[in-house]
Amino acid sequence: MLLPALSWFCSSLLATVSGGKLPEAEVTTEVLHRPFICHRKTKYGDMLMVHHDGYFENGTMFHSSRSSGDKQPMWFTLGIRQVLKGWDMGLQNMCAGEKRKLVLPPALAYGKEGKGKIPPESTLTFIVELLEIRNGPRSHESFQEMDLNDDWRLSRHEVKEYLRKEFERHGYPPNDTFHENMVEDIFAKEDENKDGFISSREFTYKHDEL
């Protein structure tokens, strides 16, 4: 699992910075139920609690969180690849209490390899009910790990170096252009006073209410 600070990467984590490739696979999303009152919508970095059912193309259910294992909903952080890529893409801008149907092509599910009872090249359908949204964690420990010179503020260089190390640690190839784009996105959202640094207060305290 990636460090909690990676939940801070916002929409840039799933950005593509290459040209000339075929269009990326897309998830098909259908809203089955949306509550009348929606206090906030999901965004990358949020922690989500969901129940979900998974189906093959022929309609056979292969998993249900309500009947499998401990029968409890699952928690995950949106946008840091803790779940299938199709989930990260299809569960954005979702309200607590909302239910969606996601149809994932193989490239956004388990791909050419498959997994367990999932055959290779499987298109999968998920019914996902969002029960709760929480702000993703940020800790002083994560900040201190990123703050290389111990000056209680993060420079662009420090954030980029952290991204590079974390990507290498988790098997993703380094990409300077990608990391630069991510750094710019992070500073645009987190550097409140626009002084070119992210202070410990700006990093630790949330901009959204629970």
Side-chain angles (χ1 to χ4, degrees):
M1 183 182 298
L2 303 185
L3 289 174
L6 286 181
S7 66
W8 176 51
F9 286 173
C10 310
S11 59
S12 37
L13 186 60
L14 293 179
T16 301
V17 291
S18 58
K21 293 185 177 180
L22 293 174
E24 189 171 354
E26 295 183 356
V27 57
T28 301
T29 304
E30 178 184 350
V31 176
L32 301 179
H33 171 75
R34 179 174 289 151
F36 181 72
I37 297 176
C38 182
H39 294 293
R40 63 177 291 186
K41 294 184 178 181
T42 57
K43 63 183 184 304
Y44 287 154
D46 284 338
M47 294 180 63
L48 312 186
M49 181 172 69
V50 304
H51 263 309
H52 64 284
D53 302 319
Y55 299 87
F56 293 117
E57 279 189 287
N58 64 6
T60 301
M61 179 185 290
F62 62 83
H63 179 78
S64 173
S65 61
R66 291 181 170 84
S67 59
S68 303
D70 59 10
K71 302 180 182 179
Q72 297 298 312
M74 64 176 285
W75 282 100
F76 67 93
T77 301
L78 187 66
I80 65 169
R81 300 182 184 177
Q82 285 185 346
V83 290
L84 295 173
K85 188 174 183 180
W87 279 35
D88 276 338
M89 297 169 68
L91 300 180
Q92 302 174 56
N93 298 312
M94 191 174 181
C95 305
E98 185 173 333
K99 183 182 290 188
R100 289 186 181 181
K101 176 181 178 181
L102 307 180
V103 180
L104 277 56
L108 300 181
Y110 293 103
K112 297 179 180 179
E113 302 299 323
K115 183 177 180 181
K117 66 177 70 173
I118 310 298
E121 297 290 0
S122 293
T123 296
L124 303 176
T125 297
F126 292 92
I127 306 299
V128 182
E129 181 180 4
L130 177 58
L131 305 177
E132 187 174 344
I133 309 170
R134 292 184 184 176
N135 288 313
R138 299 181 193 177
S139 67
H140 286 293
E141 290 79 8
S142 296
F143 182 89
Q144 289 171 345
E145 182 179 355
M146 301 172 75
D147 184 18
L148 300 177
N149 62 1
D150 296 321
D151 66 350
W152 291 98
R153 61 182 189 171
L154 302 179
S155 67
R156 282 176 164 80
H157 169 74
E158 288 172 322
V159 173
K160 184 178 178 181
E161 184 66 11
Y162 180 84
L163 297 177
R164 184 187 64 78
K165 289 180 178 178
E166 283 300 302
F167 267 58
E168 290 180 353
R169 183 184 305 178
H170 295 280
Y172 296 106
N175 186 318
D176 281 343
T177 303
F178 192 14
H179 295 168
E180 287 285 357
N181 290 343
M182 293 171 69
V183 168
E184 289 304 314
D185 185 68
I186 289 167
F187 272 76
K189 292 178 171 65
E190 305 295 335
D191 182 14
E192 292 181 25
N193 62 5
K194 305 303 179 186
D195 67 348
F197 296 89
I198 298 173
S199 68
S200 60
R201 186 198 65 80
E202 288 171 331
F203 176 84
T204 304
Y205 291 98
K206 314 312 310 166
H207 306 295
D208 301 318
E209 296 297 325
L210 285 174

